[in-house]
């Protein structure tokens, strides 16, 4: 900045332990002490201000520093942390420099850790495309930055035939800037331990070695309903609290007073947040009494008590056997990605003689365009797990459904197994069959849906894809690049959560091996098949929903909300891109952008160009469409797939993680013992519930879509585009809220306020 003086300010957050541990134990702190001067031999080049901050105690610090001399146009700020005996790391948010002229300000985004004696060189925050001038200081900086990043962010092969991942054997091996911050790390690790303890206690509490009736599952279901104390007052939840019809909660808070009445009553009365604040079923709250330190009491609810409507978890428990709820899940459950409208009867549906009436019904629905199918053929031939010496079982069902005139999607026939030489005409199960036989057939479908949901649509199509995008972004796009600034908020924590998944959920002896029928290696076979079918168009809702024939269905709430979010995200992306790419020739001429595209398609996704993924960008529209897919995958699509797990999987019979008996070959022999012997045992069911809660609950440091605090763009026009994005999301939120008020079962997974800005769980 030119003029007679400059004033600089920056915001720091220190780390108490080593950098790779990444804790964030900070308190507000403000100091007027100036930074220490540069060490001997270190001088500032023209246009560069070199600051050095000496770390003494863990704190959050915001400081100002007056520079009496004219620095000229300010292009870079360099940061160096003094090395001390306790090598604390500091996390710098940003630096702003105020010039002598009013409103003359330069911003230098950082959002990185500073450790040891290393120097961070921060360019001024205006986004810039690569130039052709090798002597340009910004060009030199971006080349040096990418060279260093490619040494830090390396590809690795997790499993042959699957997308590449970040090279990290465990979370400690990750680059420091991709690690969980302290609040996130502590919460994640604590809830894992608490979940393991709860599983042990539930298993012991049931006093059962196997299930005898569906009501037995109530013995392990209570942890999801009565978690009021555990969510608001951590450590006070009684894991042996049995379900009550009229419970009274006593919350002890020895370290601090209870929250004031406004805060506590507000949390209880908010229906959209009710479940994820810890209250997981319908309650009618009579009052809340607070007992002060001196023994005095006060009744906090002074107005008529609110009635909290039952949430989906409880409705699933009550209605999971209904055909209507079974069909509903294909449209709006936790996996709305498999259903498609039929244009012909599936070739693998074998209708034996004597089924002429069924064929007539199917053909009638087909003519009316009201016939749908859910085909799990991807599971055919996948090896099943062996858990504690007991063989588990898999099937590849085919479900035919019809949409009636009221918009309900109802099953017509289930073929559990594919035709084979040993069974050329596998049995067909119908709603008119004996109730237990029909219920068992639906349970096989729900088990198969669990496998495809978790592995194909959740792990592969969101987590692993987002990791490829994240690693390619760090390797190919410098911090000055507008696409980097656009994407970086949407890859927060993704590398660490994926690394933890590979070492805890999917590793040898991990959760999948202990409880899931595709564990023990079957999950890898399934992922390879799924990757071979993963197309670019399948990741874009306008294309995907049109291909599946699901456009214009009033009851398809996922489809409706996904399309609206795609449109809003596309406008946001287009606004940013058009600021920096003024024509298709600029897109084609950006070497960093083209390298990023090739890195994703050819490297990370293992030569995916034959499945429609681009290897170059030839136009603004093509670039915007691809970036919209990236942002949508890392935000809305993941929430649609992840957020419903607690609702639909907590009641284990609705979505069994494994099946312990082979599929039935006859209908008359199915008994209650057959059904209960097929569903997960006590240990497996407890594990499913604990993991479901851990993955499906609201995260404590959740950042809603578009609400990131990091200011990577300094251009006012870019900030205005982000503001409009936020406004569009707020308008959609109001529309969804108004619609949900008219629904018996609200669909909230794509409410913008509940969509996380990146994949963090």
């Amino acid at each position: 900045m030119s003029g007679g003086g400059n004033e600089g300010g920056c915001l720091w957050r220190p780390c108490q332990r080593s950098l790779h541990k990444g804790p964030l134990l900070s308190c507000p702190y403000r100091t007027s002490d100036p930074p220490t001067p540069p060490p001997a031999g270190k001088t500032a080049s023209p246009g560069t201000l070199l600051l050095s901050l000496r770390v003494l105690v863990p704190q959050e610090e915001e400081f100002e520093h007056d520079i009496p001399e004219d620095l000229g146009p300010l292009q870079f700020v360099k940061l160096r942390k003094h090395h001390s005996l306790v090598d604390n790391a500091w996390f710098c948010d940003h630096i702003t420099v105020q010039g002598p002229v009013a409103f003359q300000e330069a911003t230098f985004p950082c959002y990185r850790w500073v450790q040891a004696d290393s120097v961070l060189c921060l360019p001024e925050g205006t986004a810039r495309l690569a130039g052709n001038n090798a002597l340009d200081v910004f060009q030199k900086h971006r080349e040096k930055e990418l060279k260093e990043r490619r040494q830090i962010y390396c590809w690795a092969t997790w499993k042959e035939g699957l997308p590449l991942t970040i090279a990290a054997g465990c979370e400690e091996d990750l680059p420091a800037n991709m690690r969980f911050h302290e609040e996130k790390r502590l919460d994640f690790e604590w809830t894992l331990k608490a979940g393991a303890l709860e599983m042990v206690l539930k298993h012991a509490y049931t006093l059962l070695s196997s299930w005898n009736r569906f009501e037995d599952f109530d013995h392990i279901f209570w942890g999801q309903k009565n978690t009021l104390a555990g969510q608001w007052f951590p450590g006070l939840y009684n894991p042996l609290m049995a379900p009550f019809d009229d419970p009274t909660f006593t919350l002890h808070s020895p370290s601090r007073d209870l929250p004031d009445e406004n805060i506590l009553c507000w949390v209880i009365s908010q229906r959209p947040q009710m479940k994820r604040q810890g209250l997981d079923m319908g309650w009618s709250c009579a009052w809340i009494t607070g007992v002060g330190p001196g023994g005095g009491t006060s009744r906090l609810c002074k107005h008529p008590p609110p009635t909290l409507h039952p949430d989906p978890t409880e409705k699933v428990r009550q209605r999971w056997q209904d055909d209507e709820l079974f069909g509903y899940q294909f449209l709006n459950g936790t996996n709305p990605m498999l259903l498609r409208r039929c244009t012909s009867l599936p070739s693998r549906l074998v209708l034996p003689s004597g089924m002429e009436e069924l064929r007539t019904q199917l053909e009638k629905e087909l003519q009316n365009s009201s016939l749908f199918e859910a085909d799990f053929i991807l599971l055919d031939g996948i090896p099943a797990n062996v858990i504690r010496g007991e063989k588990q079982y898999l099937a590849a069902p085919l479900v035919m459904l019809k949409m009636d005139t009221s918009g309900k999607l109802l099953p017509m026939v289930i073929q559990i197994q594919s035709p084979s030489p040993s069974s050329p005409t596998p049995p067909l199960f119908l709603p008119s069959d004996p109730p237990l036989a029909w219920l068992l057939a639906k349970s096989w479908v729900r088990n198969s849906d669990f496998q495809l949901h978790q592995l194909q649509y959740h792990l592969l199509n969101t987590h692993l894809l987002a990791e490829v995008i994240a690693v390619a972004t760090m390797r190919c796009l410098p911090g000055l690049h507008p696409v980097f600034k656009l994407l970086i908020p949407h890859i927060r924590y993704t590398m660490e959560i994926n690394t933890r998944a590979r070492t805890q959920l999917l590793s040898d002896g991990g959760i999948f091996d202990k409880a899931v029928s595709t564990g023990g290696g079957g999950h890898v076979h399934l992922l390879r098949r799924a990757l071979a079918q993963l197309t670019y168009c399948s990741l874009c809702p306008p294309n995907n929903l049109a291909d599946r024939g699901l456009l214009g269905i009033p009851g398809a709430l996922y489809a409706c909300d996904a399309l609206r979010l795609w449109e809003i995200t596309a406008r946001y992306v287009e606004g940013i891109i058009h600021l920096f790419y003024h024509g298709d020739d600029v897109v084609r001429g950006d070497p960093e952008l083209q390298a990023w595209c090739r890195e994703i398609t050819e490297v990370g996704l293992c030569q995916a160009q034959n499945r429609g993924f681009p290897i170059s960008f030839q136009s603004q529209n093509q670039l915007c469409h691809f970036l919209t897919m990236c942002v949508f995958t890392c935000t809305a699509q993941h929430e649609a797939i992840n957020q419903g797990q607690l609702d639909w999987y907590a009641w284990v019979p609705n979505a069994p993680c494994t099946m312990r008996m082979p599929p039935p070959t006859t209908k008359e022999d199915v008994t209650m013992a057959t059904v209960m012997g097929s569903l997960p045992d006590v240990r497996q069911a407890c594990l499913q519930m604990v993991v479901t809660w851990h993955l499906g609950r609201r995260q404590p440091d959740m950042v809603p879509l578009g609400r990131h605090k990091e200011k990577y763009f300094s251009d006012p026009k870019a900030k205005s585009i982000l503001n409009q994005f936020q406004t569009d999301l707020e308008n959609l939120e109001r529309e969804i809220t108004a619609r949900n008020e008219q629904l018996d079962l609200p669909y909230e997974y794509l409410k913008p306020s509940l969509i996380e800005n990146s994949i963090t769980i």
Side-chain angles (χ1 to χ4, degrees), residues 257-310:
D257 291 343
L258 289 170
D260 67 69
E261 58 182 300
N262 293 327
I263 294 177
L264 190 56
C265 292
W266 182 88
V267 171
I268 291 179
S269 65
Q270 295 304 299
R271 170 66 184 94
Q273 303 294 336
M274 178 257 301
K275 170 168 64 66
R276 288 172 181 84
Q277 292 290 352
L279 195 57
D280 270 316
M281 67 173 294
W283 298 97
S284 178
C285 177
W287 63 76
I288 297 175
T289 300
V291 181
T297 64
S298 62
R299 184 165 292 185
L300 300 183
C301 287
K302 301 176 181 179
H303 304 288
T307 297
L308 305 181
H309 302 289

Side-chain angles (χ1 to χ4, degrees), residues 601-741:
T601 298
E602 296 182 340
V603 181
L605 293 178
C606 307
Q607 304 297 326
Q609 57 267 34
N610 61 342
R611 300 193 303 279
F613 288 87
I615 56 173
S616 66
F617 297 123
Q618 298 299 313
S619 67
Q620 291 174 311
N621 289 341
Q622 186 186 17
L623 172 59
C624 290
H625 193 271
F626 190 83
L627 288 173
T628 301
M629 181 276 293
C630 292
V631 175
F632 185 86
T633 296
C634 296
T635 58
Q637 183 61 22
H638 177 257
E639 284 305 313
I641 295 296
N642 179 76
Q643 201 176 154
Q645 292 183 94
L646 184 59
D647 294 335
W648 299 101
Y649 289 176
W651 180 249
V652 174
N654 183 64
C657 58
T658 190
M659 298 295 274
R660 296 182 293 128
M661 292 179 67
T665 56
T666 63
K667 306 174 184 180
E668 294 74 16
D669 297 334
V670 176
T671 64
M672 180 60 75
T674 309
V675 176
M676 303 311 294
S678 298
L679 296 177
D681 63 21
V682 176
R683 184 174 182 273
Q684 295 159 351
C686 288
L687 194 56
Q688 174 176 331
M689 290 196 66
V690 167
V691 174
T692 290
W693 172 76
H694 183 62
L695 299 180
R697 69 193 179 88
R698 187 177 177 87
Q699 299 303 296
D701 61 345
M702 182 263 198
V703 177
L705 176 60
R707 294 292 175 179
H708 48 277
K709 297 179 180 179
E710 295 85 358
K711 299 177 181 178
Y712 289 99
F713 286 103
S714 60
D715 188 330
K717 293 181 180 179
K719 294 178 181 179
S720 176
I721 292 169
L722 177 60
N723 291 337
Q724 184 60 51
F725 181 46
Q726 295 170 348
T727 299
D728 291 345
L729 293 173
E730 290 171 358
N731 293 335
L732 178 60
E733 177 99 4
R734 285 190 287 269
E735 293 175 18
I736 293 176
T737 299
R739 177 202 67 196
N740 284 347
E741 290 175 353

Side-chain angles (χ1 to χ4, degrees), residues 298-553:
S298 62
R299 184 165 292 185
L300 300 183
C301 287
K302 301 176 181 179
H303 304 288
T307 297
L308 305 181
H309 302 289
D311 75 335
T313 308
E314 183 63 21
K315 286 198 174 185
V316 170
R317 173 178 170 272
Q318 296 170 357
R319 297 171 45 194
W320 70 281
Q321 300 184 45
D322 295 351
D323 285 357
E324 181 183 346
L325 194 68
F326 175 83
Y328 175 91
Q329 293 179 70
F330 287 109
L331 283 173
N332 305 313
T334 197
N335 183 21
M337 306 307 298
L338 194 65
L339 185 75
R340 64 174 52 245
R341 193 190 300 265
C342 290
T343 55
S344 63
L345 292 182
S347 59
R348 80 179 188 104
L349 177 64
V350 180
L351 296 173
S353 60
M355 289 284 186
E356 288 75 15
E357 183 179 352
L358 175 61
R359 178 181 293 275
T360 300
Q361 293 174 351
L362 292 170
E363 291 176 345
K364 178 183 176 182
E365 299 296 338
L366 183 63
Q367 292 173 0
N368 294 333
S369 296
S370 55
L371 185 65
F372 296 80
E373 66 177 274
D375 193 348
F376 297 87
I377 189 62
L378 205 66
L379 287 164
D380 194 31
I382 296 293
N385 199 1
V386 176
I387 301 177
R388 305 176 76 184
E390 294 185 4
K391 180 174 174 54
Q392 310 296 296
Y393 295 89
L394 285 167
L398 172 64
V399 190
M400 306 302 298
L401 308 100
K402 66 177 181 180
M403 183 163 289
D404 67 13
T405 54
S406 66
K408 296 177 182 177
L409 189 65
L410 302 172
M412 296 180 68
V413 58
I414 295 174
Q415 181 180 280
I416 299 180
Q417 295 283 50
S418 295
S420 66
S422 60
S423 179
T425 56
L428 300 179
F429 292 81
L430 308 172
S432 58
D433 287 338
L436 287 178
W438 178 237
L439 182 61
L440 182 57
K442 290 191 294 182
S443 295
W444 271 103
V445 172
R446 297 298 306 137
N447 166 260
S448 299
D449 197 51
F450 181 99
Q451 314 305 321
L452 292 192
H453 165 254
Q454 294 290 14
L455 293 170
Q456 180 179 16
Y457 297 109
H458 188 186
L459 176 62
L460 175 64
N461 289 15
T462 61
H463 278 263
L464 296 184
L465 177 61
E467 186 172 359
V468 167
I469 294 169
V471 176
T473 299
M474 300 308 295
R475 288 176 56 84
C476 299
L477 299 177
L480 282 169
H481 201 286
V483 173
F484 178 90
K485 293 175 179 288
L486 173 70
L487 290 180
I488 188 66
H490 304 297
I491 62 175
R492 170 180 178 256
Y493 293 165
T494 299
M495 294 186 197
E496 175 150 355
I497 194 61
N498 283 9
T499 301
R500 287 180 179 267
R502 288 189 287 272
T503 58
Q504 296 170 10
L505 282 175
L506 302 161
S507 60
D508 292 342
I511 301 298
F512 260 69
D513 284 2
K514 291 178 180 177
V516 182
S517 51
T518 47
H523 60 299
V524 178
H525 290 279
L526 181 57
L527 285 168
R528 289 189 182 119
R529 287 188 184 179
L531 180 61
Q533 295 187 4
L534 177 63
T535 65
Y536 176 36
C537 287
S538 70
L539 300 170
C540 307
N543 307 92
N544 176 269
L545 293 167
D547 178 64
R548 294 194 286 136
L550 300 185
L551 296 176
I553 299 177

